[in-house]
Amino acid sequence: MSKHLISINDLTKKQIENVLNNANKFFAENKNKEHNDNPPSSKILVNFFFENSTRTRTSFEIAAKKLGYKVVNIDISMSSLSKKETIIDTAKTINAMNPNFITIRHNSSGMVKLLSNYIDNASIINAGDGTNEHPSQALLDLFTIKQHKPHINNLKVAICGDVLHSRVARSNIILLNKFGAKISLIMPQTLITNQYQKWVKDKWNIDIYNNINAGIKDADVIMMLRIQKERLSGCYFPSMNEYYKLFGLDHNKLKNAKKDTIILHPGPINRDVEISSELADDNSRSLILNQVESGIAVRQAILSHFDT
Ligand code: CP
């Protein structure tokens, strides 16, 4: 069994099923206000985040505390990184303090994998590395989908938006394919490279669309992706207004999908860029806040899986 969760590929299909089954149990317990969380344990989780986060960092903290762990949030601006300590020396220093878990978010793809070479006392959870992967997000996305569409095999999932810069898309492509979902990708042609197209077409037989109405036709699930402004250097599309007009989802475009299509977005959302405000707030179709709620239970299950 892998010690770390750096990629979805660190988990077998069977292990993922076990994690999601456990998450079901945690989800039900979390709904029950009478339920007592675990008693305090000596386990420690360190949140080591180099990029901003609301959902991932907070839900790992809540999940860990529900399991009885202690949580330390490292403030990067107050750390010795600001005194030019290298990130590897900082990682070795945290490792020497013997925490049980370290969640790491970094803007460089591959940084979490690199740091795992210097951390042997803790399990590392990749909380998002650049454009590479965000495995706990994909697992909570699948958990949320399964609550509404239990049979994933042949389920049509349309992933729309900034595919090029989305670690959420990459983890979901790997994960949903393990369970037999039929994925389509929708984006402006500038937001996917030839190499990426080859990867998804050759390896996963994924259809690619540059037209949202065609791409979401017959979709059971539409996963909208955030435009990653912090990663856009140069001009990928003329304006946010034009992007919204062509690729943003609203109630009108949604008529092209099935009547019971559900909508996901990992958040944070850019209102009236990826999704209309009205649709984002329409709880009959949009599961954005359900995903946040699922995130606690799924992260409890992830931590329990790696708690050896
Ligand atoms: N979805 C997600 O990773 O959100 P945060 O950046 O708020 O953690």
Side-chain angles (χ1 to χ4, degrees), residues 52-57 105 134 137 266-268:
N52 295 347
S53 167
T54 298
R55 289 151 201 78
T56 313
R57 197 178 91 150
R105 171 170 288 192
H134 192 350
Q137 177 70 45

Side-chain angles (χ1 to χ4, degrees), residues 15-24 139 142-143 146 298 301:
Q15 288 171 329
I16 292 166
E17 283 166 350
N18 287 340
V19 166
L20 297 185
N21 284 340
N22 248 339
N24 267 320
L139 289 166
L142 179 57
F143 179 84
K146 277 170 74 69
V298 171

Side-chain angles (χ1 to χ4, degrees), residues 150-180:
H151 304 292
I152 304 299
N153 195 37
N154 287 327
L155 195 75
K156 291 190 176 153
V157 181
I159 302 178
C160 175
D162 188 355
V163 172
L164 182 61
H165 300 106
S166 177
R167 53 201 179 204
V168 175
R170 197 181 282 265
S171 286
N172 265 300
I173 287 168
I174 301 169
L175 177 62
L176 290 168
N177 270 293
K178 278 185 196 278
F179 288 84

Side-chain angles (χ1 to χ4, degrees), residues 17 135 181 221 253 295:
E17 283 166 350
V221 180
K253 292 198 190 99

